[in-house]
Amino acid sequence: MKAVILIHGPAHGQILTTEVTEGEVLRQGGWSYQLTEDVDDRGRLIARAYMD
């Protein structure tokens, strides 16, 4: 399991735990959160929000 932090969009700052390693990790309120290859300073994967 990997920890993922969501940035931008309505869920900004939320942390998920997921087995997904690429693509979409969450869809919420007209936004989809896509994993990037970046990690934050705590080693969590970063998922960036995009409007649907």
Side-chain angles (χ1 to χ4, degrees):
M1 297 293 260
K2 297 278 186 177
V4 176
I5 187 164
L6 307 176
I7 61 170
H8 308 302
H12 180 82
Q14 289 184 18
I15 299 169
L16 304 175
T17 302
T18 184
E19 291 183 14
V20 175
T21 58
E22 62 183 39
E24 184 179 276
V25 293
L26 178 69
R27 186 174 294 253
Q28 181 180 52
W31 295 80
S32 63
Y33 289 85
Q34 303 284 329
L35 281 177
T36 67
E37 294 180 5
D38 299 327
V39 294
D40 71 357
D41 59 347
R42 295 185 180 169
R44 299 175 292 205
L45 296 172
I46 296 174
R48 188 173 309 275
Y50 296 93
M51 287 188 83
D52 290 336

